[in-house]
């Protein structure tokens, strides 16, 4: 009996091993996907903050340029 | 439900049907799963590349901005170090004449346009089934529109909004032009004012003789103030006409005394001039507050009690915030009604025919029907007995009918002398948007009843053509719509003017057609110029609405240059 079961058992054991292997791979794929999403979100938020700062700076520079240039015109 | 932006393609690893004739099924499943894993990895890498690409593009644009900012800062630092010791502000003219600083306000717009759709979503969209290919019929259409637009038009709502905004800017501009004209016409009005003050001064002089009676002056003023404050809404429109300082519904007590006295004088003058009006009482303040006035004013008698508070009732719905007549946004209708009332207030020969407002706002004209006739009273000798009692029945029929009825009422007052008919022609300005077709049949009837097919009434351009025919038979249609006195006037004027009228009508028809083409060309030109720039459209609209009239042209130029 054990002789008859062995190949089946071996197959089943093998199958379990394969499935575990596949599971490891799929879980790491999910981790990669999660990492990509969170990276994307954090990058976007940082870029948005940067954008805000840039816009504020640009407006200030515009204002200062206007002030300075008007002074230049008066001369 | 959140929309999935990126989807890893083979979702299920082993949910596939196994091929037949395989001995070792477990191995088969394993192999299939491994193959799907590889496919998943490939789609994952594709999406990762997409994610990093988007982030990179944004960061790249920021790098450009930062570099330009850096250059500007460098230049500024240099110029600042050069500036300080030498330059000084020279003349005051320079300060005032220089253009005011305006920072560049770049607004985000057209955010959810088809072009801004991210690539992965575009791919998902492409997978969907296409709409039927109706665009192949486009070359066979007469009006030049795309066939698919009738089936599905993604830009429909934006186009609608854009049209509405542009139309509103046009309307506002024309209103302001009208106001300007009225400003020019206004010099006539002060002529009437001097009458009242004399009376008051005489009274005061009489009263001032006795120190005991001096208190009564203060009382009188208080009563006048109460009366003025009561029908505050009533006076608002007038104050807008007479005193340009006021805007909207403000308490009159906030005004300086001089303006107050002006208003009160005018109120009295109105009381004096309005003998025949059978006015309804104002809900705002019962006759109690009005009563003190009669004793003050010598010439008026019990009339003041009756002082029609139809104008007040009519006005309160319009001006005071609780507006019973429902729909349209308050600023629009109030603006329109104030404009219509201002229009009604001109005492100069061009009759105060209010501009035909868009149909939705026309509903508000119903309560406004009593007010315009009231100010008409100011024109000496021109009295309108009918309107207030007729106002309620008019309120029920369809709005454009009521509006036209109001116009009919307003006009015939001045149209009694046949000359006024011709005068009545220089009329109402702007073309309102197209009224719904259901209303069209009624409007030509009422328009016809006016007997001035207002050539400027564009919206029903086609209906104006049948209109000229209608005036020839005014009695039957208008009788249903317009109060009784009117049809009597029309037949009387008809036989006298019919010949002249036919010629006039033909000229008007041609004028209408000509103007229609011109306006279309103008509009088309404008539409070509105007791009889908939400910011400029909105800014233009807001500028026209809230800015002073003189700023309009400046704003427009600026916007065009943008």
């Amino acid at each position: 009996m054990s002789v008859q079961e062995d190949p089946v058992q071996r197959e089943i054991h093998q199958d379990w091993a394969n499935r575990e292997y596949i599971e490891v791979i799929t879980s790491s794929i999910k981790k990669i996907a999660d990492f990509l999403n969170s990276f994307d979100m954090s990058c976007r938020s940082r870029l948005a903050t940067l954008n805000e700062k840039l816009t504020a700076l640009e407006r200030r520079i515009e204002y200062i340029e206007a002030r300075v240039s008007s002074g230049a015109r008066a001369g | 439900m959140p929309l999935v932006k990126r989807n890893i393609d083979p979702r299920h690893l082993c949910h596939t049907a196994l091929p037949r004739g395989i001995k070792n099924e477990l191995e088969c499943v394993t192999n299939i799963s491994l193959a799907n894993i590889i496919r998943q990895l490939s789609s994952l890498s594709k999406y990762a590349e997409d994610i990093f690409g988007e982030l990179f593009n944004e960061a790249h644009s920021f790098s450009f901005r930062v570099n330009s900012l850096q250059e500007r800062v460098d230049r500024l630092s240099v110029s600042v170090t050069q500036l300080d010791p030498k330059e000084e502000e020279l003349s005051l003219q320079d300060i005032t004449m220089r253009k005011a600083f305006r920072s560049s306000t770049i607004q985000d717009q057209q955010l959810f346009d088809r072009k801004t759709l991210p690539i992965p979503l575009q791919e998902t969209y492409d997978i969907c089934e296409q709409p039927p290919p109706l665009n192949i019929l486009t070359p066979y259409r007469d009006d030049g529109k795309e066939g698919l637009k009738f089936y599905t038009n993604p830009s429909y709502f934006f186009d609608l909004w854009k049209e509405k905004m542009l139309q509103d800017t046009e309307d506002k501009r024309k209103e302001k032009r009208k106001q300007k004209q009225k400003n020019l016409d206004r010099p006539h009005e002060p002529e009437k004012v001097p009458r009242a003050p004399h009376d008051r001064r005489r009274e005061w002089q009489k009263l001032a003789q006795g120190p005991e009676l001096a208190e009564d002056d203060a009382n009188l003023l208080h009563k006048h103030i109460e009366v003025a404050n009561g029908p505050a809404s009533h006076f608002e429109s007038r104050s807008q006409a007479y005193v340009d300082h006021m805007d909207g519904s403000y308490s009159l007590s906030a005004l300086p005394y001089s303006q107050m006295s002006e208003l009160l004088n005018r109120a009295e003058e109105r009381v004096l001039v309005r003998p025949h009006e059978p006015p309804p009482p104002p809900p705002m303040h019962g006759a109690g507050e009005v009563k003190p006035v009669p004793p003050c004013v010598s010439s008026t008698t019990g009339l003041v009690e009756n002082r029609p508070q139809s104008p007040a009732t009519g006005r309160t719905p319009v001006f005071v915030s609780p507006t019973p007549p429902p729909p349209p946004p308050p600023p629009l209708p109030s603006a329109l009604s104030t404009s219509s009332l201002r229009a009604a207030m001109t005492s100069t020969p061009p009759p105060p025919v209010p501009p035909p407002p868009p149909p939705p706002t026309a509903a508000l004209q119903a309560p406004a029907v009593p007010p315009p006739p009231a100010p008409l009273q100011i024109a000496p000798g021109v009295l309108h007995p009918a309107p207030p009692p007729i106002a309620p029945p008019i309120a029920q029929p369809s709005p454009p009918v009521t509006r036209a009825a109001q116009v009919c009422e307003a006009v015939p007052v001045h149209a009694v002398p046949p000359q006024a008919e011709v005068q009545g022609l220089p009329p109402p300005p702007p073309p309102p948007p197209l009224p719904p077709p259901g209303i069209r049949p009624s409007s030509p009837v009422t328009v016809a009843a006016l007997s001035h097919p207002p050539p400027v009434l564009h919206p029903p351009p086609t209906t104006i053509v049948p209109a000229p025919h209608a005036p020839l038979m005014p009695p039957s249609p208008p009788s249903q719509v317009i109060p009784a006195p009117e049809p009597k006037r029309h037949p009387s004027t008809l036989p006298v003017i019919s010949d002249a009228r036919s010629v006039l009508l033909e000229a008007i028809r041609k004028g209408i057609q000509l103007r229609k083409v011109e306006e279309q060309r103008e509009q088309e030109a404008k539409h070509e110029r105007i791009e889908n720039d939400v910011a400029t459209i909105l800014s233009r609209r807001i500028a026209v609405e809230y800015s002073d009239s003189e700023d309009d042209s400046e704003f427009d130029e600026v916007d065009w240059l943008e």
Side-chain angles (χ1 to χ4, degrees), chain A residues 22 25-26 29-30 33, chain B residues 6-16 31-47 127:
Chain A
I22 288 170
I25 296 180
T26 47
I29 287 181
K30 285 173 194 163
Chain B
R6 296 180 186 93
N7 213 357
I8 305 287
D9 198 7
R11 287 206 55 197
H12 299 289
L13 286 178
C14 25
H15 287 202
T16 50
N31 291 337
I32 288 173
S33 311
L34 286 170
N36 280 336
I37 285 177
I38 295 177
R39 291 194 191 102
Q40 280 187 348
L41 278 171
S42 77
S43 61
L44 185 67
S45 73
K46 181 174 141 222
Y47 287 140
I127 293 171

Side-chain angles (χ1 to χ4, degrees), chain A residues 15 18-19 22, chain B residues 25-35:
Chain A
D15 185 56
N18 293 342
R19 282 180 190 268
I22 288 170
Chain B
E25 289 179 354
L26 294 174
E27 238 184 75
C28 181
V29 167
T30 308
N31 291 337
I32 288 173
S33 311
L34 286 170

Side-chain angles (χ1 to χ4, degrees), chain B residues 552-562:
Chain B
D552 280 353
S553 54
E554 286 183 27
F555 253 106
D556 287 348
E557 291 169 17
V558 170
D559 288 336
W560 288 131
L561 288 172
E562 282 178 9

Side-chain angles (χ1 to χ4, degrees), chain B residues 367-517:
Chain B
V369 167
L376 284 180
Q377 314 276 329
I378 298 164
V382 177
L383 300 172
H384 197 94
I390 300 174
I394 291 178
Q396 287 152 16
S398 65
V401 166
T402 60
R403 228 221 44 65
Q406 164 201 351
V407 174
C408 294
E409 282 178 7
V411 170
V413 169
H414 296 273
V416 172
Q419 311 163 356
E421 279 194 35
V422 178
Q423 288 176 354
L425 283 177
L434 283 169
I439 299 178
R440 278 189 192 184
S442 62
S443 60
V445 168
T446 53
V447 167
L450 279 179
S451 77
H452 332 274
V456 192
L457 265 187
H458 274 277
T462 54
T463 57
I464 288 173
V465 174
H469 300 290
L472 301 177
M473 19 175 215
S476 48
S479 60
Q480 305 165 5
V481 171
I482 298 168
E486 278 209 346
K488 292 174 193 169
R489 286 181 203 142
H490 282 286
S492 63
T493 54
L494 262 185
V496 180
I497 307 175
S498 58
D499 291 336
R501 205 190 268 178
S502 58
V503 171
L504 192 62
L505 286 172
E506 284 179 18
I508 290 166
R509 247 180 272 164
K510 287 176 196 166
I512 291 167
Q513 285 166 1
L514 283 176
R515 272 199 215 177
K516 177 179 154 196
V517 168

Side-chain angles (χ1 to χ4, degrees), chain B residues 215-280:
Chain B
E215 292 178 4
D216 286 344
D217 281 340
N219 283 340
L220 284 179
L221 285 174
H222 281 302
K223 285 165 193 167
H224 280 298
I225 289 168
E226 282 177 357
V227 168
N229 272 338
S233 59
H234 174 67
F235 279 109
E236 273 166 14
S237 55
R238 292 197 195 155
S239 64
Q240 279 168 344
Y242 293 105
V243 183
D244 280 348
H245 314 285
M246 284 174 46
D247 243 350
S249 54
Y250 302 141
S251 62
L252 287 176
S253 54
L255 290 176
Y257 179 75
S258 58
Q259 295 181 7
M260 274 286 254
S261 57
E262 267 189 321
L263 283 173
L264 294 170
N265 291 341
R266 283 170 195 144
E268 281 203 55
E269 163 211 301
R270 271 170 230 133
V271 168
L272 289 170
V273 176
R274 201 189 296 160
H276 305 275
E277 193 171 356

Side-chain angles (χ1 to χ4, degrees), chain B residues 42-170:
Chain B
S42 77
S43 61
L44 185 67
S45 73
K46 181 174 141 222
Y47 287 140
E49 191 256 348
D50 185 54
I51 287 172
F52 289 116
E54 283 179 7
L55 292 172
F56 172 78
N57 287 337
E58 270 198 62
H60 199 54
S61 68
F62 286 172
S63 77
F64 284 141
R65 283 168 69 181
V66 164
N67 285 338
S68 66
L69 261 181
Q70 179 71 45
E71 288 173 15
R72 283 164 84 179
V73 166
D74 290 339
R75 265 182 253 148
L76 256 185
S77 62
V78 166
S79 60
V80 161
T81 51
Q82 281 177 354
L83 263 189
D84 285 351
K86 304 174 190 175
E87 317 294 339
E88 283 179 11
E89 285 295 325
L90 289 183
S91 63
L92 288 173
Q93 287 176 359
D94 279 345
I95 297 173
T96 51
M97 277 181 28
R98 254 174 243 141
K99 179 185 170 188
F101 171 73
R102 273 188 192 158
S103 65
S104 63
T105 50
I106 302 170
Q107 293 171 343
D108 279 343
Q109 52 181 301
Q110 302 276 354
L111 290 172
F112 293 100
D113 200 37
R114 185 59 63 184
K115 302 161 206 163
T116 58
L117 196 66
I119 297 173
L121 284 176
Q122 183 71 43
E123 291 172 1
T124 314
Y125 178 75
D126 289 335
I127 293 171
C128 298
E129 197 178 315
Q130 299 267 340
L134 292 171
N135 269 341
I136 49 182
L137 296 173
T138 310
Y140 305 109
R141 288 194 69 85
D142 289 332
D143 50 7
K145 292 181 193 170
E146 291 181 23
L148 197 61
K149 294 276 179 188
F150 292 93
Y151 179 79
T152 167
N153 186 3
S155 61
Y156 170 72
F157 292 104
F158 178 74
D159 290 339
L160 202 66
W161 175 84
K162 190 169 85 169
E163 284 296 325
K164 183 171 181 284
M165 287 293 127
L166 292 173
Q167 195 60 51
D168 286 342
T169 51
E170 288 291 326

